[in-house]
Structures are given as C-alpha cells and as structure tokens.
C-alpha cells in the first residue's frame, strides 16, 4: 500500500465562488484543495446574464488565484438571446447554467418554461457550448413534487432536451438518485453527469437536523448513494467531479431557514482520495477528478510534463471553521463539510 499519490491537479466542474468578502475568502482556497481548473457558477446577485458580466467576473477571480483556470458560465435568462450566445462563445465562455425557478440559492430569476429557450439552446448547439442543468422541478404539493422526488421528476425534461438537441452537450449536475444515474447512462455520449463529494458520503439521515450537510438537491436514500458510489467505482467516463461547493456564513446555515450549500473547496481532493480508498477504487480517482471531465468539456488532456499534485498518507483534521476575510460581521465564519473529522490523505505541495 503506497503512502503517496501523484495526480494531475484536479478539475472541478461545478463550484460556487460567490462575490465580495466571501469570494475573497474562498477563491484562494481552490488551489489549497487540489484544484487548478474550476467551472464557476453564475448565480450571483445579480446573476451573470451577459457576456461582459461573466468576463468581468472572470477577471476578478483570476486576480485572486492566478494559477487557476476559471471556466466561465452564464445564467440562463431572457437576456441570453441567440445573438448573446454567439457573443459569449466568441469571448470564450464555455457554458450556460439553467436553474429552474426557486429550486436553490439565487434561483429566483430561473426558468419556468424550457421551450421558450429552444432558440437559445439551438444557438448553443451551433456554437458548441455546454448546457449545465440543475436537475430538479420546483416543489409543488398539488403535483406531488417535493425535495425528495424533484430530481427524478426532472428527468423527463432532460430526455426531451437531449432528443430535441442531440448534439448539444448537456451536463446533469450534482446527481443524487439512482434514477438520475440510470437515465444519464441510457442517453447518448453528449449527456454527462457531475457528482459531488458530499453526495458520495451522505444520505438523508445525515442532513436532517444537520444544517451544514443541507444542500439542494438534498442527499437521498442509501440505495441512491450506493448507485452514485457504484458508478464512480465502475469508472464510467460520463460521470465526473463537480463539487457544488457552496459556502454560506454560519449564521445563514444555522438560522430559521438554513441556506442550501455544503462547503468542500479547501479539502476537496483529500476528501475524494479518502472516499475512493474506502470504496476500494483509488485507481479510478485520477479519471474522476481530471480525465473524464476535461474530455467532456473538450479541454486539453493533462500531459506528463504538467505539474503534479502530491498527496501523502497523513491524517488531515478538517478545521471547525474558516474565517471570512474582511467581513463586517464579527467572527463570521464558514463551516466546512465534516468539520473536526479526520481524512486519511493531505496535500504535500506546499500550497
């Protein structure tokens, strides 16, 4: 059993980097967690709905983490016309994120009717952009939809979009159910799926009553977690890392209505290495955190001459919290996933 691992720097294809003091705090942690390529989510306030807004955001991120490659995204809204899609593609923006209205943080501007955006999706297909889907239907008691079945009820929309736009690359993000895994596996090579670190660890019992494990979509049943673990253990090439790391101040997570989001950015690769070792598939880790996602997003493959990430088998105690730099709130902190617990691996690159 080796006591060290040499891996490519990870690529995280779904991460919330926020704005203001929170952005200043978490963006430098991306590299700390073993990541040098990251897909930045656009659900800011206001959301990133135009090319210039996304470009400006990318510039701000790059100043905070010059070694990191930031993949920029736009928030699907009526502003995203086919003409704006062409402009975005020309500016190097890779993806468009779809939030059904009201399903998660800052989704109030989200989509109510997908068919309205078919001309936009056609333009995205024509310009080889990626459609990233938050795959849940809004809760609706009259329709029998709640947070436990919202993802499964959304899968019909995924199938329809793939049928209408077969050459459009689509990513079903942060899958949490066996139904989602089976659906993506059954669709064509232009449909892929990201899986978070936390959904590979937890089930419904782990977030009920534990606000720092609460996110959207919520973790589901043990059989669903088993399906997620099985597909990463199998090394399926259309399933890859998207952390959905989403920091919130502790006061927002522990209030009357806890904010949805789990924070894993500063511990991401050690967390994944610990889990993959437990699952007996440490040999599949490199492909999951790098190769598969980079291939789907058509990024250059990692070469043997690229810098490597070194992990050592050494206990890493996850901090109780991280201080938010410059916050006006005294002692404002972010609590990470698995706070005060131990991981089996830590990064040994001096970052």
């Amino acid at each position: 059993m080796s006591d060290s691992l040499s891996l490519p720097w990870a690529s995280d294809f779904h991460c919330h980097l926020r704005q203001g003091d929170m952005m200043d705090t978490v963006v430098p942690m991306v590299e700390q967690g073993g990541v040098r390529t990251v897909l930045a989510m656009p659900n800011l306030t206001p959301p990133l709905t135009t090319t210039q807004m996304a470009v400006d955001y990318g510039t701000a991120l790059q100043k905070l983490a010059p070694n990191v490659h930031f993949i920029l995204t736009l928030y699907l809204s009526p502003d995203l016309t086919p003409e704006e899609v062409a402009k975005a593609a020309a500016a190097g923006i890779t993806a468009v994120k779809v939030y059904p209205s009201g399903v998660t943080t800052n989704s109030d501007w989200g989509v109510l009717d997908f068919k309205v955006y078919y001309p936009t999706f056609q333009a995205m297909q024509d310009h080889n952009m990626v459609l990233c889907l938050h795959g849940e239907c809004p809760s609706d008691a009259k329709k029998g939809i709640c947070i436990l079945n919202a993802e499964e009820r959304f899968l019909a929309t995924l199938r329809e979009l793939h049928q209408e736009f077969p050459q459009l690359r689509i990513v079903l993000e942060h899958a949490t159910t066996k139904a989602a895994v089976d659906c993506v596996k059954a669709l064509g090579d232009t449909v892929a799926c990201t899986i978070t670190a936390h959904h590979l660890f937890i089930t419904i019992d782990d977030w009920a009553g534990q606000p720092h494990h609460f996110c959207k979509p919520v973790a589901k049943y043990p059989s669903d977690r088993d399906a997620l673990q099985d597909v990463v253990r199998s090394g399926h090439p259309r399933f890859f890392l998207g952390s959905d790391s989403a920091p919130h101040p502790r006061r927002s997570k522990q209030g009357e209505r806890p904010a949805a989001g789990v924070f894993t950015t500063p511990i991401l690769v050690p967390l994944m290495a610990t889990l993959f070792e437990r699952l007996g598939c440490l040999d599949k880790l490199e492909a999951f955190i790098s190769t598969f996602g980079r291939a789907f997003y058509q990024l250059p493959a990692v070469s043997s001459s690229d810098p490597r990430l070194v992990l050592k088998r050494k206990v890493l105690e996850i901090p109780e919290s991280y201080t938010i730099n410059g916050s006006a709130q005294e002692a404002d902190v972010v609590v990470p996933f698995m706070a005060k617990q131990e991981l089996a691996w830590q990064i040994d690159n001096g970052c």
Side-chain angles (χ1 to χ4, degrees):
M1 183 182 296
S2 175
D3 288 332
S4 67
L5 292 171
S6 176
L7 299 164
W9 285 85
S11 299
D12 180 0
F13 289 97
H14 182 150
C15 190
H16 296 271
L17 299 172
R18 304 305 194 209
Q19 57 203 119
D21 292 336
M22 186 67 84
M23 178 181 76
D24 293 344
T25 300
V26 303
V27 172
M29 294 180 180
V30 170
E31 192 171 4
Q32 178 184 336
V35 173
R36 282 190 177 169
T37 297
V38 62
L39 186 82
M41 289 291 104
N43 58 329
L44 308 183
T45 304
L48 304 179
T49 57
T50 69
T51 299
Q52 192 59 53
M53 292 173 75
V55 169
D56 290 345
Y57 186 55
T59 300
L61 296 175
Q62 204 70 67
K63 288 180 180 178
L64 291 168
N67 292 332
V68 176
H69 173 214
F70 294 97
I71 303 171
L72 301 178
T73 62
L74 288 175
Y75 187 114
L76 185 65
S77 76
D79 291 335
L80 193 58
T81 62
E83 293 74 22
E84 188 68 20
V85 167
K87 183 179 177 181
I93 295 171
T94 299
V96 172
K97 178 64 181 277
V98 175
Y99 294 93
S101 181
V103 295
T104 192
T105 302
N106 292 346
S107 63
D108 296 340
W109 302 274
V111 174
L112 294 171
D113 181 0
F114 279 82
K115 287 185 171 61
V116 170
Y117 292 99
Y118 274 17
T120 298
F121 299 153
Q122 181 62 55
M124 289 178 61
Q125 182 171 261
D126 294 342
H127 290 279
N128 196 31
M129 294 184 74
V130 179
L131 180 65
C132 299
L133 297 175
H134 182 117
E136 291 188 287
C137 292
S139 293
D140 187 329
K142 292 181 179 179
K143 296 179 180 178
I145 302 173
C146 67
I147 60 173
L148 291 178
N149 65 8
E151 180 175 280
E152 188 166 358
R153 295 287 287 271
F154 181 84
L155 297 177
T157 299
L158 172 61
R159 295 186 187 96
E160 181 178 334
L161 289 171
H162 179 50
Q163 182 176 0
E164 292 289 333
F165 305 99
Q167 300 307 311
L168 176 62
R169 285 179 291 152
I170 300 174
V171 178
L172 179 67
E173 296 192 313
H174 44 50
T176 63
T177 59
K178 182 178 186 300
V181 170
D182 291 344
C183 178
V184 171
K185 289 167 69 174
L187 296 176
D189 289 343
T190 54
V191 179
C193 181
T194 57
I195 298 178
T196 75
H198 52 279
H199 286 130
L200 287 165
F201 276 90
I202 65 175
T203 67
I204 185 172
D205 286 342
D206 297 300
W207 62 260
Q210 178 19 320
H212 297 289
H213 290 176
F214 170 65
C215 60
K216 291 285 191 74
V218 298
K220 307 298 194 304
Y221 299 102
S223 57
D224 294 306
R225 182 186 59 185
D226 290 347
L228 299 178
Q229 293 180 349
D230 287 345
V231 78
V232 302
R233 191 187 286 116
S234 74
H236 194 295
R238 287 188 285 117
F239 292 80
F240 47 83
L241 176 63
S243 72
D244 192 20
S245 182
H248 293 277
R250 180 167 58 191
R251 55 189 162 78
S252 298
K253 292 292 290 180
Q254 296 180 180
E256 292 183 2
R257 292 180 61 86
V262 170
F263 182 50
T264 56
T265 294
I267 57 168
L268 187 57
V269 173
L271 187 64
M272 298 307 304
T274 299
L275 174 68
F276 273 56
E277 185 171 46
R278 290 180 189 175
L279 295 177
C281 60
L282 205 50
D283 60 315
K284 301 294 198 303
L285 179 60
E286 178 171 335
F288 183 76
I289 68 170
S290 178
T291 310
F292 293 158
R294 295 183 71 86
F296 189 83
Y297 272 89
Q298 300 177 0
L299 299 178
V302 175
S303 73
S304 58
S305 62
D306 288 333
R308 303 286 286 183
L309 180 67
V310 178
L311 271 69
K312 294 291 187 183
R313 186 185 299 281
K314 186 177 180 181
V315 171
L316 173 64
E317 183 173 341
I318 300 173
E320 180 178 1
S321 63
Y322 296 89
T323 300
I324 300 173
N325 298 333
S327 174
Q329 297 283 335
E330 185 176 354
D332 214 353
V333 299
V334 181
V335 177
F337 181 60
M338 294 176 58
K340 298 191 289 185
Q341 298 186 45
E342 294 181 346
L343 302 176
W345 295 88
Q346 62 176 264
I347 294 172
D348 194 42
N349 284 67
C351 66

